[in-house]
Amino acid sequence: MKSKTQYLYFNTKTRIAFVNITDQVQKLIEESKIKEGICLVNAMHITSSVFVNDNESGLLKDFEKWLERLAPHSPTNHYQHNNTGEDNADAHLKRQVMGREAVVAVTDGKLDFGPWEQIFYGEFDGRRNKRVLVKVIGE
Ligand code: ZN
C-alpha cells in the first residue's frame, strides 16, 4: 500500500469564503501515483470546513446566508466563547455544521464523484493562515 500526505494553504481575503479545491486535490492524487484507494481531505482548523457539494454560485451564497442566520457573527457578545477575548464563536459553529472532512474514493487515478460533486474549502474566520490536509492511500 502507498500513502502520500500533502497540505494546501489558505489565507482568504474575507472572513467567510468558499474555495473550490477539486482541481488542487486531483493534482495531488496524480502526484501520488495512486490509482485505486481513498483520498481524505480535512481542514486542520476548528473554524474552517471541507465539504462536498455543487459548484453553483447561487448555492454558495445560500450556504453563507443560511449559516449567518444559524450563527450570526454579531453581536459577538452573545456567545460565551467570545468571553475568552476571541470574536469567532460563530465560526466554530458554522464549521461544525459544514463538517471537518471529505473522504472520496480514488478510481483509476481520479476522484470518483457522483454528478456535480466538487470539494470545497469553507472558511469562517479568514484573513489568517490556514491549512488543509490531503492524504491519499491505496495502490
Ligand atoms: Zn475560537
Side-chain angles (χ1 to χ4, degrees):
M1 192 199 76
K2 286 193 281 193
S3 160
K4 181 138 180 149
T5 305
Q6 292 164 293
Y7 301 91
L8 300 174
Y9 298 89
F10 300 90
N11 188 329
T12 62
K13 289 187 174 70
T14 51
R15 196 168 51 78
I16 296 184
F18 296 117
V19 184
N20 186 341
I21 58 172
T22 310
D23 290 347
Q24 291 175 78
V25 174
Q26 178 61 47
K27 193 162 161 273
L28 297 180
I29 291 170
E30 283 158 21
E31 287 171 21
S32 77
K33 312 271 187 230
I34 290 168
K35 295 291 182 195
E36 294 294 321
I38 292 286
C39 180
L40 165 73
V41 187
N42 72 264
M44 301 190 81
H45 302 266
I46 51 181
T47 53
S48 53
S49 290
V50 170
F51 63 93
V52 173
N53 217 303
D54 191 359
N55 186 30
E56 194 279 307
S57 60
L59 179 67
L60 296 175
K61 288 193 182 82
D62 290 335
F63 276 130
E64 184 171 346
K65 281 205 243 169
W66 176 63
L67 290 165
E68 201 56 37
R69 280 201 302 273
L70 282 175
H73 176 66
S74 53
T76 54
N77 64 5
H78 278 200
Y79 296 99
Q80 293 199 27
H81 176 65
N82 290 341
N83 293 339
T84 61
E86 293 193 83
D87 69 349
N88 65 1
D90 66 302
H92 290 278
L93 299 175
K94 287 165 175 142
R95 175 263 167 84
Q96 204 62 31
V97 168
M98 297 304 283
R100 172 181 180 264
E101 75 274 310
V103 179
V104 182
V106 175
T107 304
D108 198 21
K110 298 250 183 297
L111 288 161
D112 198 345
F113 285 132
W116 307 109
E117 286 188 322
Q118 299 276 285
I119 307 174
F120 289 87
Y121 173 68
E123 177 61 78
F124 309 113
D125 187 23
R127 300 178 290 215
R128 61 182 74 190
N129 295 326
K130 298 283 190 80
R131 240 178 0 152
V132 163
L133 170 78
V134 181
K135 185 178 281 269
V136 191
I137 57 173
E139 293 185 315

